[in-house]
Amino acid sequence: MKKELLFKIMAVLTALMLSCSALSGCGKDKETAPAETSDEGNTTVSKFDADEKEEKPATATPKTADATPANAGGSVSNSGSGSGSGNAGGSGSNVSSAEAVSRSALSDARSFFEAGMYDDAEEMLRSVNPDYLTDEQLDTYYLISDSLSNRAGAQNNAQKEFTAEEAVSAAEQRYGVSIDGDPSGLTPQTDSSGREYYTMQVAIQSENRRVTINVYSDGEIEETSEEPLAYG
């Protein structure tokens, strides 16, 4: 009886061990399968990566090739424009030598004029050729020129001031007489048109009359009144 029971127990243990071995083998298969799948997955990913690495140089190469001519072309264009502007500047400076002289003289004339050095301004203005001036510079040129002319005219008028002595002399020549008295006592006056004149009396013995006259700066003599020298 004991032997039979022992055999049964051993049989059960053996069955259990075989069952455990089978289960253990199945577990290993299950664990291996994902590993193989993972390896295949890694291999697949590695293959895509390799494909991408092979494709990327092909894509980068045309871009680099395209960029190179564009940059080269831009460099040539800039170089050409730079040399062109340099040549234009050189030729312009040669052509505008006379123009530069006129503009410099105009600038000096303006400086002298603003400083009140009118003679120097007029002298510098003679060195200016209006043909070489811009419209704005021409305005400055004519403004200075007109101002100098007006100033010269005012000076001439001041120098030609009509004096009492000149008025007396004009009256004596007109009537053929000699006028006694001090001319400094005569006072200059101005009519509505701006003419200066002096008023005086002239005794004309040959005509037996005394006239009151106005002697104007432009030479006109106007008789305003008269009376006889002696009655009888």
Side-chain angles (χ1 to χ4, degrees), residues 105 108-127 144-145 147-149 151-153 155-156 159:
D108 292 340
R110 178 176 181 176
S111 298
F112 285 134
F113 182 81
E114 291 176 348
M117 304 170 66
Y118 302 114
D119 292 339
D120 293 330
E122 186 174 2
E123 182 178 353
M124 291 306 303
L125 209 62
R126 294 193 192 102
S127 301
I144 296 174
S145 179
S147 298
L148 290 173
S149 297
R151 182 177 179 277
Q155 286 182 335
N156 291 335
Q159 292 174 356

mmCIF file of all heavy atoms in Angstrom, residues 105 108-127 144-145 147-149 151-153 155-156 159:
data_model
loop_
_atom_site.group_PDB
_atom_site.id
_atom_site.type_symbol
_atom_site.label_atom_id
_atom_site.label_comp_id
_atom_site.label_asym_id
_atom_site.label_seq_id
_atom_site.Cartn_x
_atom_site.Cartn_y
_atom_site.Cartn_z
ATOM 1 N N ALA A 105 32.349 130.230 -56.379
ATOM 2 C CA ALA A 105 32.350 131.699 -56.415
ATOM 3 C C ALA A 105 31.021 132.252 -55.912
ATOM 4 O O ALA A 105 30.982 133.267 -55.202
ATOM 5 C CB ALA A 105 32.617 132.185 -57.840
ATOM 6 N N ASP A 108 30.998 132.060 -52.142
ATOM 7 C CA ASP A 108 31.818 133.130 -51.557
ATOM 8 C C ASP A 108 31.110 134.477 -51.658
ATOM 9 O O ASP A 108 31.145 135.287 -50.722
ATOM 10 C CB ASP A 108 33.173 133.192 -52.266
ATOM 11 C CG ASP A 108 34.028 131.964 -51.982
ATOM 12 O OD1 ASP A 108 33.750 131.280 -50.974
ATOM 13 O OD2 ASP A 108 34.958 131.687 -52.759
ATOM 14 N N ALA A 109 30.466 134.727 -52.803
ATOM 15 C CA ALA A 109 29.747 135.988 -52.991
ATOM 16 C C ALA A 109 28.629 136.128 -51.957
ATOM 17 O O ALA A 109 28.423 137.203 -51.392
ATOM 18 C CB ALA A 109 29.168 136.058 -54.401
ATOM 19 N N ARG A 110 27.946 135.043 -51.697
ATOM 20 C CA ARG A 110 26.869 135.090 -50.697
ATOM 21 C C ARG A 110 27.434 135.359 -49.311
ATOM 22 O O ARG A 110 26.858 136.153 -48.548
ATOM 23 C CB ARG A 110 26.112 133.763 -50.712
ATOM 24 C CG ARG A 110 24.996 133.692 -49.678
ATOM 25 C CD ARG A 110 24.219 132.410 -49.781
ATOM 26 N NE ARG A 110 23.155 132.367 -48.797
ATOM 27 C CZ ARG A 110 22.265 131.389 -48.700
ATOM 28 N NH1 ARG A 110 22.312 130.369 -49.545
ATOM 29 N NH2 ARG A 110 21.338 131.414 -47.781
ATOM 30 N N SER A 111 28.556 134.713 -48.978
ATOM 31 C CA SER A 111 29.165 134.924 -47.662
ATOM 32 C C SER A 111 29.598 136.377 -47.489
ATOM 33 O O SER A 111 29.357 136.988 -46.443
ATOM 34 C CB SER A 111 30.364 133.984 -47.488
ATOM 35 O OG SER A 111 29.959 132.631 -47.541
ATOM 36 N N PHE A 112 30.219 136.949 -48.532
ATOM 37 C CA PHE A 112 30.654 138.349 -48.468
ATOM 38 C C PHE A 112 29.449 139.293 -48.337
ATOM 39 O O PHE A 112 29.479 140.255 -47.577
ATOM 40 C CB PHE A 112 31.463 138.710 -49.711
ATOM 41 C CG PHE A 112 32.861 138.132 -49.704
ATOM 42 C CD1 PHE A 112 33.378 137.511 -50.832
ATOM 43 C CD2 PHE A 112 33.661 138.216 -48.578
ATOM 44 C CE1 PHE A 112 34.653 136.982 -50.827
ATOM 45 C CE2 PHE A 112 34.948 137.696 -48.568
ATOM 46 C CZ PHE A 112 35.448 137.073 -49.701
ATOM 47 N N PHE A 113 28.400 138.990 -49.099
ATOM 48 C CA PHE A 113 27.217 139.860 -49.082
ATOM 49 C C PHE A 113 26.572 139.864 -47.700
ATOM 50 O O PHE A 113 26.195 140.920 -47.178
ATOM 51 C CB PHE A 113 26.217 139.391 -50.139
ATOM 52 C CG PHE A 113 24.992 140.249 -50.232
ATOM 53 C CD1 PHE A 113 25.006 141.429 -50.945
ATOM 54 C CD2 PHE A 113 23.809 139.879 -49.585
ATOM 55 C CE1 PHE A 113 23.874 142.234 -51.024
ATOM 56 C CE2 PHE A 113 22.681 140.664 -49.659
ATOM 57 C CZ PHE A 113 22.713 141.851 -50.388
ATOM 58 N N GLU A 114 26.434 138.674 -47.108
ATOM 59 C CA GLU A 114 25.814 138.585 -45.787
ATOM 60 C C GLU A 114 26.685 139.233 -44.711
ATOM 61 O O GLU A 114 26.170 139.653 -43.672
ATOM 62 C CB GLU A 114 25.540 137.114 -45.446
ATOM 63 C CG GLU A 114 24.446 136.489 -46.317
ATOM 64 C CD GLU A 114 24.257 135.011 -46.036
ATOM 65 O OE1 GLU A 114 25.131 134.426 -45.334
ATOM 66 O OE2 GLU A 114 23.262 134.431 -46.498
ATOM 67 N N ALA A 115 27.995 139.282 -44.962
ATOM 68 C CA ALA A 115 28.905 139.913 -44.001
ATOM 69 C C ALA A 115 29.006 141.421 -44.212
ATOM 70 O O ALA A 115 29.717 142.108 -43.476
ATOM 71 C CB ALA A 115 30.289 139.282 -44.109
ATOM 72 N N GLY A 116 28.306 141.952 -45.233
ATOM 73 C CA GLY A 116 28.346 143.386 -45.502
ATOM 74 C C GLY A 116 29.549 143.820 -46.319
ATOM 75 O O GLY A 116 29.795 145.019 -46.471
ATOM 76 N N MET A 117 30.279 142.845 -46.883
ATOM 77 C CA MET A 117 31.452 143.159 -47.719
ATOM 78 C C MET A 117 30.986 143.193 -49.182
ATOM 79 O O MET A 117 31.230 142.267 -49.955
ATOM 80 C CB MET A 117 32.546 142.115 -47.486
ATOM 81 C CG MET A 117 32.949 141.988 -46.022
ATOM 82 S SD MET A 117 34.036 140.582 -45.650
ATOM 83 C CE MET A 117 35.513 141.051 -46.552
ATOM 84 N N TYR A 118 30.304 144.258 -49.539
ATOM 85 C CA TYR A 118 29.600 144.322 -50.816
ATOM 86 C C TYR A 118 30.543 144.390 -52.015
ATOM 87 O O TYR A 118 30.251 143.809 -53.066
ATOM 88 C CB TYR A 118 28.649 145.521 -50.820
ATOM 89 C CG TYR A 118 27.649 145.467 -49.687
ATOM 90 C CD1 TYR A 118 27.683 146.412 -48.661
ATOM 91 C CD2 TYR A 118 26.691 144.463 -49.631
ATOM 92 C CE1 TYR A 118 26.770 146.358 -47.616
ATOM 93 C CE2 TYR A 118 25.778 144.404 -48.586
ATOM 94 C CZ TYR A 118 25.828 145.347 -47.578
ATOM 95 O OH TYR A 118 24.926 145.274 -46.543
ATOM 96 N N ASP A 119 31.644 145.080 -51.874
ATOM 97 C CA ASP A 119 32.596 145.155 -52.994
ATOM 98 C C ASP A 119 33.178 143.787 -53.296
ATOM 99 O O ASP A 119 33.304 143.398 -54.466
ATOM 100 C CB ASP A 119 33.727 146.144 -52.662
ATOM 101 C CG ASP A 119 33.221 147.579 -52.593
ATOM 102 O OD1 ASP A 119 32.153 147.849 -53.175
ATOM 103 O OD2 ASP A 119 33.903 148.415 -51.967
ATOM 104 N N ASP A 120 33.525 143.035 -52.246
ATOM 105 C CA ASP A 120 34.063 141.682 -52.438
ATOM 106 C C ASP A 120 32.987 140.758 -53.021
ATOM 107 O O ASP A 120 33.277 139.902 -53.866
ATOM 108 C CB ASP A 120 34.564 141.112 -51.113
ATOM 109 C CG ASP A 120 35.778 141.860 -50.591
ATOM 110 O OD1 ASP A 120 36.555 142.381 -51.426
ATOM 111 O OD2 ASP A 120 35.961 141.938 -49.366
ATOM 112 N N ALA A 121 31.757 140.922 -52.567
ATOM 113 C CA ALA A 121 30.655 140.100 -53.088
ATOM 114 C C ALA A 121 30.454 140.362 -54.572
ATOM 115 O O ALA A 121 30.252 139.426 -55.372
ATOM 116 C CB ALA A 121 29.370 140.394 -52.323
ATOM 117 N N GLU A 122 30.515 141.633 -54.968
ATOM 118 C CA GLU A 122 30.347 141.978 -56.376
ATOM 119 C C GLU A 122 31.485 141.411 -57.223
ATOM 120 O O GLU A 122 31.269 140.926 -58.343
ATOM 121 C CB GLU A 122 30.288 143.492 -56.523
ATOM 122 C CG GLU A 122 29.973 143.975 -57.937
ATOM 123 C CD GLU A 122 29.792 145.475 -58.015
ATOM 124 O OE1 GLU A 122 29.955 146.151 -56.972
ATOM 125 O OE2 GLU A 122 29.483 145.974 -59.110
ATOM 126 N N GLU A 123 32.699 141.452 -56.677
ATOM 127 C CA GLU A 123 33.854 140.912 -57.413
ATOM 128 C C GLU A 123 33.724 139.407 -57.604
ATOM 129 O O GLU A 123 33.992 138.881 -58.687
ATOM 130 C CB GLU A 123 35.134 141.236 -56.642
ATOM 131 C CG GLU A 123 36.401 140.759 -57.355
ATOM 132 C CD GLU A 123 37.669 141.129 -56.599
ATOM 133 O OE1 GLU A 123 37.565 141.866 -55.601
ATOM 134 O OE2 GLU A 123 38.750 140.686 -57.009
ATOM 135 N N MET A 124 33.299 138.676 -56.569
ATOM 136 C CA MET A 124 33.131 137.218 -56.676
ATOM 137 C C MET A 124 31.989 136.876 -57.630
ATOM 138 O O MET A 124 32.053 135.885 -58.348
ATOM 139 C CB MET A 124 32.848 136.622 -55.294
ATOM 140 C CG MET A 124 34.022 136.676 -54.336
ATOM 141 S SD MET A 124 35.542 135.934 -54.986
ATOM 142 C CE MET A 124 34.988 134.290 -55.361
ATOM 143 N N LEU A 125 30.971 137.726 -57.660
ATOM 144 C CA LEU A 125 29.819 137.458 -58.525
ATOM 145 C C LEU A 125 30.207 137.536 -60.002
ATOM 146 O O LEU A 125 29.586 136.888 -60.842
ATOM 147 C CB LEU A 125 28.704 138.448 -58.214
ATOM 148 C CG LEU A 125 27.271 137.957 -58.461
ATOM 149 C CD1 LEU A 125 26.967 136.766 -57.565
ATOM 150 C CD2 LEU A 125 26.273 139.066 -58.182
ATOM 151 N N ARG A 126 31.232 138.317 -60.301
ATOM 152 C CA ARG A 126 31.688 138.408 -61.690
ATOM 153 C C ARG A 126 32.328 137.100 -62.162
ATOM 154 O O ARG A 126 32.422 136.850 -63.368
ATOM 155 C CB ARG A 126 32.710 139.543 -61.841
ATOM 156 C CG ARG A 126 32.145 140.929 -61.599
ATOM 157 C CD ARG A 126 33.105 142.002 -62.068
ATOM 158 N NE ARG A 126 32.723 143.324 -61.592
ATOM 159 C CZ ARG A 126 33.279 143.951 -60.584
ATOM 160 N NH1 ARG A 126 34.288 143.376 -59.918
ATOM 161 N NH2 ARG A 126 32.874 145.155 -60.218
ATOM 162 N N SER A 127 32.757 136.260 -61.233
ATOM 163 C CA SER A 127 33.398 134.985 -61.586
ATOM 164 C C SER A 127 32.382 133.868 -61.787
ATOM 165 O O SER A 127 32.760 132.741 -62.110
ATOM 166 C CB SER A 127 34.380 134.572 -60.480
ATOM 167 O OG SER A 127 35.368 135.563 -60.286
ATOM 168 N N ILE A 144 21.326 138.290 -55.084
ATOM 169 C CA ILE A 144 22.523 139.057 -54.704
ATOM 170 C C ILE A 144 22.805 140.141 -55.727
ATOM 171 O O ILE A 144 23.111 141.291 -55.384
ATOM 172 C CB ILE A 144 23.732 138.115 -54.568
ATOM 173 C CG1 ILE A 144 23.506 137.109 -53.435
ATOM 174 C CG2 ILE A 144 25.013 138.902 -54.313
ATOM 175 C CD1 ILE A 144 24.581 136.055 -53.324
ATOM 176 N N SER A 145 22.682 139.791 -57.013
ATOM 177 C CA SER A 145 22.962 140.752 -58.081
ATOM 178 C C SER A 145 22.019 141.955 -58.006
ATOM 179 O O SER A 145 22.448 143.111 -58.093
ATOM 180 C CB SER A 145 22.830 140.063 -59.443
ATOM 181 O OG SER A 145 23.075 140.968 -60.491
ATOM 182 N N SER A 147 20.302 142.990 -55.391
ATOM 183 C CA SER A 147 20.541 143.737 -54.159
ATOM 184 C C SER A 147 21.750 144.654 -54.297
ATOM 185 O O SER A 147 21.719 145.806 -53.839
ATOM 186 C CB SER A 147 20.763 142.764 -52.987
ATOM 187 O OG SER A 147 19.613 141.971 -52.773
ATOM 188 N N LEU A 148 22.801 144.152 -54.945
ATOM 189 C CA LEU A 148 23.987 144.984 -55.160
ATOM 190 C C LEU A 148 23.674 146.151 -56.097
ATOM 191 O O LEU A 148 24.151 147.272 -55.896
ATOM 192 C CB LEU A 148 25.128 144.132 -55.724
ATOM 193 C CG LEU A 148 25.748 143.113 -54.757
ATOM 194 C CD1 LEU A 148 26.753 142.225 -55.492
ATOM 195 C CD2 LEU A 148 26.427 143.814 -53.590
ATOM 196 N N SER A 149 22.863 145.896 -57.124
ATOM 197 C CA SER A 149 22.494 146.958 -58.064
ATOM 198 C C SER A 149 21.662 148.033 -57.377
ATOM 199 O O SER A 149 21.883 149.241 -57.581
ATOM 200 C CB SER A 149 21.712 146.370 -59.247
ATOM 201 O OG SER A 149 22.507 145.465 -59.975
ATOM 202 N N ARG A 151 21.644 148.734 -54.240
ATOM 203 C CA ARG A 151 22.497 149.455 -53.299
ATOM 204 C C ARG A 151 23.348 150.487 -54.029
ATOM 205 O O ARG A 151 23.510 151.622 -53.574
ATOM 206 C CB ARG A 151 23.381 148.470 -52.542
ATOM 207 C CG ARG A 151 24.282 149.114 -51.511
ATOM 208 C CD ARG A 151 25.088 148.088 -50.746
ATOM 209 N NE ARG A 151 25.954 148.745 -49.793
ATOM 210 C CZ ARG A 151 27.133 149.263 -50.091
ATOM 211 N NH1 ARG A 151 27.574 149.221 -51.342
ATOM 212 N NH2 ARG A 151 27.870 149.862 -49.164
ATOM 213 N N ALA A 152 23.877 150.099 -55.179
ATOM 214 C CA ALA A 152 24.695 151.030 -55.964
ATOM 215 C C ALA A 152 23.849 152.214 -56.433
ATOM 216 O O ALA A 152 24.302 153.361 -56.431
ATOM 217 C CB ALA A 152 25.306 150.303 -57.157
ATOM 218 N N GLY A 153 22.594 151.929 -56.839
ATOM 219 C CA GLY A 153 21.712 153.007 -57.279
ATOM 220 C C GLY A 153 21.391 153.971 -56.157
ATOM 221 O O GLY A 153 21.356 155.193 -56.351
ATOM 222 N N GLN A 155 23.290 154.584 -53.597
ATOM 223 C CA GLN A 155 24.495 155.369 -53.332
ATOM 224 C C GLN A 155 24.648 156.480 -54.364
ATOM 225 O O GLN A 155 25.035 157.612 -54.034
ATOM 226 C CB GLN A 155 25.732 154.465 -53.348
ATOM 227 C CG GLN A 155 25.854 153.579 -52.115
ATOM 228 C CD GLN A 155 27.111 152.741 -52.154
ATOM 229 O OE1 GLN A 155 27.655 152.456 -53.226
ATOM 230 N NE2 GLN A 155 27.584 152.341 -50.986
ATOM 231 N N ASN A 156 24.365 156.174 -55.617
ATOM 232 C CA ASN A 156 24.476 157.191 -56.671
ATOM 233 C C ASN A 156 23.478 158.329 -56.440
ATOM 234 O O ASN A 156 23.801 159.500 -56.644
ATOM 235 C CB ASN A 156 24.241 156.562 -58.048
ATOM 236 C CG ASN A 156 25.376 155.623 -58.439
ATOM 237 O OD1 ASN A 156 26.496 155.773 -57.962
ATOM 238 N ND2 ASN A 156 25.070 154.663 -59.305
ATOM 239 N N GLN A 159 24.761 160.479 -53.743
ATOM 240 C CA GLN A 159 25.856 161.321 -54.214
ATOM 241 C C GLN A 159 25.336 162.467 -55.086
ATOM 242 O O GLN A 159 25.949 163.527 -55.153
ATOM 243 C CB GLN A 159 26.860 160.476 -55.007
ATOM 244 C CG GLN A 159 27.619 159.478 -54.140
ATOM 245 C CD GLN A 159 28.497 158.556 -54.969
ATOM 246 O OE1 GLN A 159 28.477 158.625 -56.202
ATOM 247 N NE2 GLN A 159 29.264 157.712 -54.307
#
